[in-house]
Amino acid sequence: RSVIVDASFRTRALRGAIRQLACRLDVPFTLIECVAPRETCLQRLAARERAGTHESDARSVLWTAFESEYEPVAEIPGSELIRIDTSHPWERTQSEIQQGVGEGSARFSGATR
């Protein structure tokens, strides 16, 4: 069955490990790279912190370290990579993900952002 691993695979090594696991288990692998402008990310982090209700461990104080450690996704073949600009409304992002993974992607319909 399909599995979604939600994490910030910011290095080639982390992405390689999860891709290798999928290969070892003989299951399809697709990396969905979510991108947004820096300012949008910082605004979202600040809003989460103000609300104090989000389960994510992402914090604005960690942003600089994340940026400095991030390795651009260049090693994943295009057939296994979907790059989504998440600065758009959630409905558009969800639609782009579904289009990217194909028509059988109803599993995303219950996803939350």
Side-chain angles (χ1 to χ4, degrees):
R1 68 179 186 207
S2 298
V3 175
I4 298 173
V5 180
D6 180 10
S8 59
F9 292 96
R10 65 179 160 258
T11 65
R12 287 178 202 85
L14 291 171
R15 294 186 295 265
I18 195 72
R19 186 170 182 251
Q20 198 170 42
L21 176 62
C23 184
R24 191 169 63 241
L25 296 173
D26 196 29
V27 296
F29 173 82
T30 301
L31 177 75
I32 301 173
E33 181 185 21
C34 299
V35 298
R38 182 180 200 274
E39 189 57 36
T40 299
C41 294
L42 291 172
Q43 288 172 353
R44 288 177 178 169
L45 290 170
R48 285 180 184 175
E49 291 165 15
R50 281 191 305 275
T53 57
H54 201 275
E55 63 278 356
S56 174
D57 59 355
R59 302 284 178 269
S60 56
V61 297
L62 303 175
W63 182 261
T64 302
F66 180 87
E67 268 186 321
S68 68
E69 295 170 4
Y70 181 76
E71 298 173 0
V73 179
E75 75 287 356
I76 304 293
S79 61
E80 297 177 353
L81 177 64
I82 300 169
R83 185 169 283 123
I84 303 290
D85 179 349
T86 62
S87 63
H88 304 291
W90 168 240
E91 293 75 18
R92 177 174 170 179
T93 299
Q94 183 179 16
S95 175
E96 289 178 11
I97 292 169
Q98 289 176 339
Q99 289 174 13
V101 297
E103 294 300 311
S105 59
R107 62 188 176 272
F108 286 105
S109 62
T112 59
R113 56 183 172 143

